[in-house]
Amino acid sequence: MSSQGRTIVRKQGMFFALGCLAAAALLPPGAMAKGSGTCTAGTTLRLSALESSQGSLLLIEVKSAKPLSEVQGDWGGRSVPFWREVASETRRKGLLGVDLEKAPGAYALKVTGQTTRGEKMSCSATVTVRKGRFATEKLQVGKQFVEPSPEQIKRADEERQKLRDIFDRVTPERLWDGKFRMPLDGVTTGSNFGRRRILNGNPGTPHGGVDLPGTAGTPVHAAQRGKVALAEELFFSGNTVVLDHGLGIYTFYGHLSEIDAKVGDTLEAGAALGKVGATGRVTGPHLHWGLTVERARVNPLHIVKLLENE
Ligand SMILES: [Zn+2]
């Protein structure tokens, strides 16, 4: 390895701690002050927070005095997936994903629906987005580390489009039930979410997931029940598995040493889907774990926290 290569490793180590701090600061407030919206008579809307930041996930709850037949949400032109609480006809829950690069500002949330008797209901709220506090890593490295070959660029572009096409598909049924788990046993947090690398003065795309520490060969578990939407080797993330949980919710597992699932398989929550590795553009073994909600790249640690009481 050249001296430039060693520089990258050292700097990564240095920013690992920063990444952890950023991830901790991003955790949803949980029991802290919740927000509520304005609704038509007989309906209430509650949110896990009214103030969010880039890359965060909010839980929405709609309660009605009368049984509901349908509920849908729109947040600044993006649809919000809602699902029915198993034991309740009068409650719906939804997840609002704030993309990692969503422009800070105030966005109107509109929830509409109707009761089983056909009466219309609606709620509105304003959800503000603050700039995320993410680590920035400035690196000066040799050209060979910055500029992939034209073939590699073409391959990476095609793979990015393939992933975009997957995340655009919304499976109408909710395939999961209950809480989401961390994909590695004994690992409770991750780092580097949103970190942006500036290589030789050029800002790259922000890091869209969390990196979980793990030694090569450690089993990687499905965070929840889902259908395998992708299971193949990609240029940046190496051996990768993408799980479709339904309602536009996807989890992403990268850099695996081996993949133990195939496209179309339905995996139960906690099923082993592969092993921790160092495939793709990485310097050491770890799990890259991502979460996409209606195409918004959000911090996957949030879904574990938000749904922990499910
Ligand atoms: Zn990563």
Side-chain angles (χ1 to χ4, degrees), residues 75-134:
W75 187 57
R78 221 175 249 267
S79 78
V80 178
F82 275 92
W83 67 92
R84 183 184 150 170
E85 284 281 273
V86 177
S88 172
E89 290 187 322
T90 57
R91 286 168 67 190
R92 291 286 194 285
K93 281 186 176 174
L95 285 171
L96 192 160
V98 182
D99 186 73
L100 182 53
E101 293 185 282
K102 189 166 183 79
Y107 296 87
L109 169 68
K110 184 89 180 160
V111 177
T112 54
Q114 60 180 23
T115 66
T116 50
R117 289 184 184 169
E119 296 153 298
K120 302 258 185 264
M121 55 73 65
S122 70
C123 296
S124 57
T126 301
V127 178
T128 55
V129 177
R130 293 186 312 268
K131 202 168 162 27
R133 277 179 288 169
F134 306 129

Side-chain angles (χ1 to χ4, degrees), residues 100-175:
L100 182 53
E101 293 185 282
K102 189 166 183 79
Y107 296 87
L109 169 68
K110 184 89 180 160
V111 177
T112 54
Q114 60 180 23
T115 66
T116 50
R117 289 184 184 169
E119 296 153 298
K120 302 258 185 264
M121 55 73 65
S122 70
C123 296
S124 57
T126 301
V127 178
T128 55
V129 177
R130 293 186 312 268
K131 202 168 162 27
R133 277 179 288 169
F134 306 129
T136 301
E137 190 178 8
K138 286 182 182 161
L139 297 174
Q140 293 293 330
V141 298
K143 240 183 160 184
Q144 68 274 29
F145 293 103
V146 184
E147 293 175 12
S149 70
E151 296 77 41
Q152 289 171 327
I153 292 172
K154 184 168 178 283
R155 181 184 167 192
D157 283 347
E158 284 167 2
E159 291 172 353
R160 205 171 291 126
Q161 188 55 49
K162 183 172 189 171
L163 288 169
R164 220 175 275 145
D165 291 344
I166 289 173
F167 298 143
D168 275 350
R169 288 200 297 265
V170 176
T171 299
E173 318 90 74
R174 177 168 70 118
L175 302 178

